[in-house]
């Protein structure tokens, strides 16, 4: 297990520390862990994600779910933030996603263009911004350059920067795929090296080892893999994604292993809101029970 880094040891400016302290200790369980509700899938995947529960297509319902579930924050794109953030201002922290793309083009040259700025986040009262970084994409030169401007603005405005570190591209597919231990491990380290305050990663799958570098062909348990991913991020806090809808027990096991590894928290979207309302809240309660076992002073 990697020790969960306290805010005082994360190299944060006063503004970033103040906002992250508000997220981690004034919302959710208030114990230094985090549970975030992402709601950018309407852009990233399209409206089909709402077929499982059409109520979830309404942002007002998602806001209600975030408040009732005791989430530490809700992550949305600029258009929804402009129209709906005043519904929950002060009740649930806003994480403004600055970039995003559709899934209509193939991911072989993935690049997520900017749609909003850190200044927009300040104006809207956000407590953090989110940036999707496609590690390994042939377009990563442009991605890294775009990210650098965001990082500089986040530093200037004292705004915490959460990086969605996603391996993508043809080279990634040729080396085992986007959710191998190799790919997720590398992505976590890249985000830390480039200046993320918090990194969001998918849970690694060490059993998927076809085409990966030799070092990753050894036998690793899922706990071994997520331990190494969190360690690779060093003083960058780690959030582990729920990913696509799976069984409750699979999600609970993933959450337990992630928090045991030293992750700061979880960011579960579809696994929460692709259910009816009461079932969603029961599932969230189970996640909160796990987070309650891992406080950070």
């Amino acid at each position: 297990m990697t020790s969960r880094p306290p805010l005082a040891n994360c190299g944060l400016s006063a503004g970033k520390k103040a906002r992250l302290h508000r997220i981690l200790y004034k919302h959710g369980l208030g114990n230094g862990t985090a549970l975030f509700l992402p709601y950018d899938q309407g852009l990233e995947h399209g409206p089909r994600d709402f077929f499982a529960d059409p109520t979830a297509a309404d942002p007002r319902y998602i806001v209600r779910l975030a408040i009732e579930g005791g989430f530490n924050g809700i992550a949305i794109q600029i258009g929804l933030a402009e129209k709906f953030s005043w519904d929950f201002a002060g009740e649930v922290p806003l994480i403004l996603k600055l970039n995003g793309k559709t899934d209509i083009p193939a991911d072989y040259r993935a690049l997520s263009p900017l749609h909003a700025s850190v200044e927009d986040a300040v104006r809207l009262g956000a407590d953090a911004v989110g940036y999707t970084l496609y590690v390994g994409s042939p377009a990563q030169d442009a991605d890294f350059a775009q990210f650098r401007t965001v990082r500089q603005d986040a530093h200037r405005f004292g705004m915490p920067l959460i990086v969605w570190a996603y391996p993508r591209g043809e080279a990634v597919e040729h080396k085992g795929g986007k959710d191998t231990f190799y790919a997720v491990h590398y992505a976590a380290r890249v985000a830390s090296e480039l200046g993320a305050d918090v990194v969001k990663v998918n849970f690694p799958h060490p059993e998927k080892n076809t085409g990966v570098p030799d070092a990753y062909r050894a036998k690793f348990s899922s706990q071994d893999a997520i331990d190494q991913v969190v360690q690779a991020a060093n003083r960058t806090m780690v959030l582990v994604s729920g990913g696509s809808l799976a069984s409750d027990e699979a999600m609970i096991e993933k959450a337990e292993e992630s928090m045991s590894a030293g992750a700061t928290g979880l960011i579960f979207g579809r696994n929460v809101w692709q259910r009816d309302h009461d079932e969603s809240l029961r599932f969230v309660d189970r996640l909160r029970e796990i987070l309650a076992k891992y406080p950070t002073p």
Side-chain angles (χ1 to χ4, degrees):
M1 173 180 172
T2 300
S3 298
R4 192 168 292 103
L7 287 180
N9 294 348
C10 289
L12 300 166
S13 67
K16 289 188 176 192
K17 184 178 178 183
R19 287 182 167 95
L20 282 170
H21 187 274
R22 187 157 55 234
I23 289 173
L24 297 175
Y25 294 97
K26 302 299 181 183
H27 294 276
L29 292 173
N31 70 345
T33 64
L35 181 60
F36 292 104
L37 188 64
Y39 189 60
D40 58 344
Q41 292 86 349
L43 171 63
E44 298 287 346
H45 307 151
R48 69 176 184 272
D49 271 7
F50 308 131
F51 287 168
D53 181 8
T55 310
D58 184 352
R60 293 170 297 180
Y61 170 71
I62 299 299
V63 170
R64 174 187 162 203
L65 197 61
I67 293 171
E68 292 180 353
F71 281 81
N72 295 76
I74 180 171
I76 55 178
Q77 292 280 350
I78 182 68
L80 297 187
E82 294 275 12
K83 295 176 177 65
F84 294 96
S85 63
W86 49 269
D87 283 355
F88 60 92
E91 296 184 74
V92 180
L94 167 65
I95 293 89
L96 182 66
K97 274 303 299 293
L98 301 185
N99 64 339
K101 70 173 187 61
T102 72
D103 75 348
I104 297 171
D107 270 347
Y108 288 117
R109 294 190 59 83
L111 177 65
S112 190
L114 285 171
H115 312 298
S117 67
V118 178
E119 190 171 357
D120 287 325
V122 174
R123 174 175 55 83
L124 290 165
D127 278 315
V129 293
Y131 182 94
T132 297
L133 185 73
Y134 287 126
V135 178
S137 168
Q140 75 175 13
D141 288 358
D143 205 353
F144 286 5
Q146 181 176 260
F147 175 74
R148 178 171 57 85
T149 66
V150 170
R151 178 182 56 78
Q152 290 171 334
D153 285 346
H155 184 73
R156 181 161 57 94
F157 284 104
M159 182 66 67
L161 176 54
I162 304 174
V163 172
W164 274 235
Y166 288 164
R168 289 292 189 276
E170 189 173 8
V172 171
E173 293 306 313
H174 288 163
K175 293 184 177 181
K178 62 188 180 183
D179 58 354
T180 62
F181 174 25
Y182 160 66
V184 176
H185 196 204
Y186 207 155
R189 185 67 186 203
V190 168
S192 177
E193 297 257 359
L194 294 184
D197 301 310
V198 184
V199 58
K200 176 196 178 196
V201 295
N202 286 317
F203 196 85
H205 288 270
E207 74 280 6
K208 297 182 178 181
N209 58 13
T210 302
V212 301
D214 289 346
Y216 293 89
R217 293 180 184 172
K219 187 173 180 59
F220 296 98
S221 68
S222 57
Q223 187 68 69
D224 292 335
I226 191 61
D227 285 350
Q228 290 293 325
V229 168
V230 174
Q231 184 178 339
N234 51 79
R235 288 184 172 179
T236 296
M237 290 172 275
V238 175
L239 302 174
V240 178
S241 171
S244 56
L245 192 63
S247 71
D248 282 11
E249 294 315 310
M251 290 295 101
I252 294 301
E253 182 179 4
K254 177 192 295 188
E256 186 74 63
E257 290 185 351
S258 299
M259 296 307 296
S260 176
T264 294
L266 309 167
I267 179 162
F268 278 34
R270 287 172 289 174
N271 278 284
V272 171
W273 47 255
Q274 283 184 334
R275 311 162 180 258
D276 68 41
H277 176 263
D278 291 346
E279 186 183 352
S280 294
L281 292 180
R282 284 193 295 270
F283 179 64
V284 169
D285 283 344
R286 294 187 69 185
L287 296 177
R288 285 165 59 88
E289 287 173 4
I290 293 170
L291 296 180
K293 297 190 295 184
Y294 297 95
T296 302

